[in-house]
Amino acid sequence: AAVDLLIGIDSGPMHVAGAVGTPCVALFGPTDPELVLFDPGITAVFHRVECSFCHHRHPRLHWQSGCPHDIQCMKGLTVEQVFDAVAAHLAKTVGKP
C-alpha cells in the first residue's frame, strides 16, 4: 500500500496490490487476465500468440508440462508494452496527491 504503482507478473503480489488499492501493471502469459482480474486498478499486459492463455485449456500446455512453443507468450512481451502501460497510469495520476 506504500507504493504508487506495482509492476509484476500475474501472481500473489498483484492480488495483494488490488486488495489494498495499489494500482498495478501485471504481465500475463499462460493465464487469461479476463478470468482473474476483478480490480479496475490492475492493467494487464500480454502478448497474444496462437496458444495464448493455455493455462485454461485442457490439457495445459505451459510451464507445468513444458511449453511446446518456447513460452512465446512471455518472451514476446516488450519493454515498450510495459512502459506504455506505466506511462498511461502515470498520465492518469499526474497532479493527484
Side-chain angles (χ1 to χ4, degrees), residues 15-72:
H15 296 290
V16 172
V20 299
T22 298
C24 179
V25 171
L27 312 181
F28 284 80
T31 307
D32 186 346
E34 289 189 17
L35 298 177
V36 297
L37 287 184
F38 307 106
D39 188 303
I42 300 175
T43 301
V45 177
F46 57 90
H47 174 70
R48 187 172 291 281
V49 292
E50 182 180 331
C51 57
S52 285
F53 315 134
C54 62
H55 179 81
H56 305 289
R57 298 178 185 170
H58 295 284
R60 290 182 178 161
L61 296 175
H62 62 80
W63 57 269
Q64 290 179 339
S65 58
C67 176
H69 305 287
D70 196 32
I71 57 170
Q72 289 304 308

